[in-house]
Amino acid sequence: MIYLDNAGTTKMFEKCIEVHKLYSCENYFNPSAVNSYSVAVSKQIVDAERYFLSRLGAKEGNILFTGCATESNNLAIRGSLRNGKYEYVFSAGEHPSVFNLAKKLQLEGFLVHIVPLLSDGTVDLKALESVLNDKTRLVSVMHVNNETGAVNDLEKISALKNKLCPKAFLHVDGVQGFMKIPVSLAKTNIDLYSFSGHKFHAPKGVAGLYVKNKSALKNLFEGGGQQYSLRSGTENVSGIMQMKCACENIDVEKNLENTMRLQTLFNQTLLAESKNVGINSLLFDIKTGQCFDAVGACQKDDWKNIENSILIRNYGGSPYIENLVFVGVKGETMLHVLDQNGVIVGLGSACSAKKAGNRVLENIGLSKDLVISSIRVSFNAYMTDSEIVEAAKIVCKTYKNLLERMN
Ligand code: PLP
């Protein structure tokens, strides 16, 4: 099986198992207790907190450890709500854990603005600028889009926020960014940043929320007062330590470079192999609107009239995620037949994969037909070249067979 759904989740590093054993069977003490063993464990959590702050490039602030990024996002947003004539700003590309909450807040009577995306999948900064004002309490945008790989310019977004509503908080859902592309919270002046262990080879069920200023946040649950009284409940010590272990084994720059190489290899194999099996394959550069095939460039609108084509939508963003369109075949059908043929891909966010349509792709202007025909492939930095080449070949053959079956 070749796994190309790494934006959904990643395989855990085996090293984490040793850490799990250490903190579950030996150093299993409750960090809130006052015995010397517990105090030692609680110190290690403080160390872990410092470690994550440094990996986030933060000069100040704290980390709250949570159970998943869905929780981190909810805590960041709900914890920032205040009574009064405030406004809340979200982007149309947000993950359901943010987007559905934004919709719920609207129903609860909060004034919510949803900012659209540009065709390259990033937040429309002009539209963002037009809704920010001195009543804005919170701006919540994602770092890397989980469906398209589009990367938002956090420096620009933060500069806009500082200019138009300096008192507002900036929350960033960093789940597809952290440990994949460089992050510097100090540079970008971000107040809240969510991340999730299982997206970077740590176990499921442990995540974090960076909080620049603790007094700006309110707790969602009452309890024993752990984690600065902002997230009560006994800490998942083993999970936190495993998440730290995973980070310690990741070189972000090196992985980024290798993943770019793997993505290029995948796309080049798709282009070459399509020719082999007699179908078209077009690389669509979303930034310039140009289409390229194996032999040369073609015009932006040409692909609209082309049948039997794979459209490789290159977002020029994170190389970890890419969107492919198989003209004339349903993405869902591709996914299931690829699964039978030994290649696992995704349809988009796992949380919304079972729902019809795709809000994010529709928002960036992809026609309904193309949305229905799209799949998401997502890489990890540790894949081998032969896996990548084989997967691309299987993708082309599967598409060709499906087209033949339909005719
Ligand atoms: N935000 C983004 C951008 C995601 O891609 C995901 C998961 O796919 C989440 C949030 C939710 O993360 P978790 O599974 O830890 O709740």
Side-chain angles (χ1 to χ4, degrees), residues 303 313 315 323 325 361-362 364-368 370-371 374:
W303 62 267
R313 294 175 61 79
Y315 282 84
N323 178 254
V325 180
L361 297 182
E362 281 167 25
I364 62 178
L366 213 61
S367 74
K368 275 232 152 66
L370 295 185
V371 169
S374 65

Side-chain angles (χ1 to χ4, degrees), residues 7-9 66-73 93-98 142-147 173-177 194-199 204-207 321 348-351 376:
T9 197
T66 61
C68 56
T70 299
E71 183 191 338
S72 302
N73 286 341
E94 297 306 301
H95 181 268
S97 56
V98 171
M142 68 207 316
H143 193 178
V144 176
N145 186 278
N146 52 297
E147 317 240 356
D173 174 349
V175 168
Q176 301 292 348
S194 310
F195 57 92
S196 183
H198 73 105
K199 307 291 182 176
K204 293 165 187 62
V206 63
I321 300 176
S349 158
C351 316
R376 174 184 74 181

Side-chain angles (χ1 to χ4, degrees), residues 116-261:
L117 305 178
L118 296 174
S119 64
D120 69 359
T122 59
V123 174
D124 182 339
L125 295 184
K126 284 213 177 87
L128 177 65
E129 189 168 2
S130 73
V131 297
L132 298 182
N133 65 71
D134 55 7
K135 292 194 215 78
T136 310
R137 165 94 194 156
L138 175 79
V139 179
S140 180
V141 292
M142 68 207 316
H143 193 178
V144 176
N145 186 278
N146 52 297
E147 317 240 356
T148 62
V151 181
N152 283 315
D153 188 332
L154 298 182
E155 283 189 45
K156 275 195 188 148
I157 291 172
S158 153
L160 270 183
K161 191 224 72 149
N162 287 343
K163 188 174 97 185
L164 299 166
C165 45
K167 287 195 185 136
F169 299 116
L170 178 57
H171 167 243
V172 173
D173 174 349
V175 168
Q176 301 292 348
F178 184 57
M179 285 293 123
K180 295 183 179 177
I181 61 171
V183 180
S184 171
L185 296 191
K187 234 201 227 165
T188 42
N189 208 12
I190 287 165
D191 299 286
L192 301 147
Y193 188 96
S194 310
F195 57 92
S196 183
H198 73 105
K199 307 291 182 176
F200 52 87
H201 309 281
K204 293 165 187 62
V206 63
L209 175 66
Y210 164 78
V211 182
K212 188 156 85 183
N213 176 4
K214 293 194 296 290
S215 61
L217 203 66
K218 283 192 176 161
N219 57 312
L220 302 188
F221 303 117
E222 301 311 320
Q226 290 93 337
Q227 301 200 65
Y228 316 104
S229 293
L230 287 172
R231 204 278 189 175
S232 282
T234 304
E235 293 89 337
N236 175 2
V237 182
S238 144
I240 295 166
M241 293 307 174
Q242 290 180 81
M243 189 160 72
K244 178 169 176 259
C245 166
C247 289
E248 283 165 347
N249 283 281
I250 290 175
D251 180 334
V252 173
E253 298 282 353
K254 199 169 139 211
N255 282 1
L256 183 64
E257 208 174 290
N258 197 40
T259 308
M260 275 177 189
R261 195 185 60 76

Side-chain angles (χ1 to χ4, degrees), residues 15 19 23 215 397:
K15 279 195 176 161
V19 177
Y23 286 95
S215 61
K397 275 205 190 109

